[in-house]
Amino acid sequence: MFDQLWVWVGIFFIFGSIWGSFANVAIVRIPQGLSVVAPRSRCNGCKTPIRWFDNIPILSWFILKGKCRSCGQSFSIRYPLVELLTGVLFALAFYSVGWKFYLAELLIFILGLVIVSFIDIDHFIIPDKISLPGIIIGLVGATLNPEREVLDAIMGVVLGGGFLWMIAYVYYILRKQEGMGGGDIKLLAWMGAVCGWRAIPFIILFASIVGSGVGLFNMKKKGLQTVIPFGPYLALSALIYIFAGHTITMWYLKIFFPWLE
Ligand SMILES: [Zn+2]
């Protein structure tokens, strides 16, 4: 039987890849303080505006073999990858949430996470311009969404923001230098607003394990004072919490606390 569910999953994938194309623009322009809507995308080399038929998410990059049609300047493989990633995440969001209010909240959250993660990778910053409205949208969503508790979201903001702030403060006292960026603190507060306070320990734990693993690997190559962007690990962990948090928690409880049913 041909299942309607998969048609919608496909539609959300396409919808997501179009927003991924917007994310590419935002990743480049927001750190420069430029508008994300105007002017239209141009080639960095010859400044020719990119025509609509050369701007099809994912596909155009491959059709043009990653080069500008006018001057041959190459475009990074990251553009189609960001579009693919956003498409996959939108499809996954629809698949796991379905037609609920939370789907709209989740799509906004995913788009924001994709944008801040790549900005953090490029510039080691998480712009307040995205995380602060994110916190507000998350709290408004919790108020409007009958399936969510406002108090849960507020506690998420306090725990997410407060916990990292405390670690950053202690680190500052001990080492007399900033270890964790203020951007990460606001990002985690935003995650608390959207995912609720229960998500925070999971996100921090998971991000620390993956982040310190990658950090150690990099240290060997570059020496001890390497700064790694923590935002992408927090984003990855928040998404894993949303899509598989329940399964992983059950699994964990079964292994370590088998007497609890
Ligand atoms: Zn060009």
Side-chain angles (χ1 to χ4, degrees), residues 43 46 68 71:
C43 164
C46 63
C68 169
C71 71

Side-chain angles (χ1 to χ4, degrees), residues 65-86:
K65 300 190 180 73
K67 288 190 171 74
C68 169
R69 191 186 282 279
S70 309
C71 71
Q73 161 130 345
S74 51
F75 298 136
S76 165
I77 181 82
R78 207 173 82 179
Y79 292 109
L81 290 180
V82 167
E83 289 158 357
L84 181 70
L85 174 70
T86 315

Side-chain angles (χ1 to χ4, degrees), residues 162-184:
F163 189 85
L164 276 193
W165 182 85
M166 215 172 65
I167 292 178
Y169 185 73
V170 171
Y171 190 89
Y172 182 77
I173 296 288
L174 294 176
R175 303 278 304 265
K176 296 279 174 238
Q177 65 185 42
E178 284 187 47
M180 188 135 19
D184 292 324

Side-chain angles (χ1 to χ4, degrees), residues 79-240:
Y79 292 109
L81 290 180
V82 167
E83 289 158 357
L84 181 70
L85 174 70
T86 315
V88 168
L89 292 174
F90 271 43
L92 205 58
F94 175 76
Y95 180 78
S96 58
V97 174
W99 294 111
K100 283 190 185 154
F101 191 107
Y102 195 55
L103 178 63
E105 294 194 75
L106 195 50
L107 296 182
I108 296 170
F109 186 52
I110 287 171
L111 184 65
L113 290 184
V114 169
I115 295 171
V116 296
S117 295
F118 285 96
I119 289 180
D120 200 12
I121 289 170
D122 289 348
H123 305 279
F124 299 100
I125 51 159
I126 293 170
D128 287 352
K129 236 186 241 181
I130 307 176
S131 56
L132 296 181
I135 294 173
I136 294 171
I137 293 171
L139 290 174
V140 170
T143 315
L144 297 177
N145 186 348
E147 296 143 23
R148 294 220 290 141
E149 301 270 345
V150 187
L151 189 64
D152 183 39
I154 293 173
M155 283 169 66
V157 173
V158 173
L159 187 64
F163 189 85
L164 276 193
W165 182 85
M166 215 172 65
I167 292 178
Y169 185 73
V170 171
Y171 190 89
Y172 182 77
I173 296 288
L174 294 176
R175 303 278 304 265
K176 296 279 174 238
Q177 65 185 42
E178 284 187 47
M180 188 135 19
D184 292 324
I185 296 174
K186 284 165 244 172
L187 176 61
L188 202 66
W190 173 20
M191 291 171 169
V194 177
C195 307
W197 70 269
R198 288 173 193 83
I200 299 300
F202 182 98
I203 293 172
I204 292 173
L205 190 67
F206 205 89
S208 309
I209 293 169
V210 180
S212 55
V214 176
L216 282 176
F217 179 76
N218 277 334
M219 244 177 234
K220 275 190 186 157
K221 289 194 303 193
K222 295 181 196 162
L224 216 99
Q225 284 299 322
T226 312
V227 186
I228 59 159
F230 199 46
Y233 301 107
L234 290 172
L236 177 72
S237 308
L239 292 172
I240 288 173

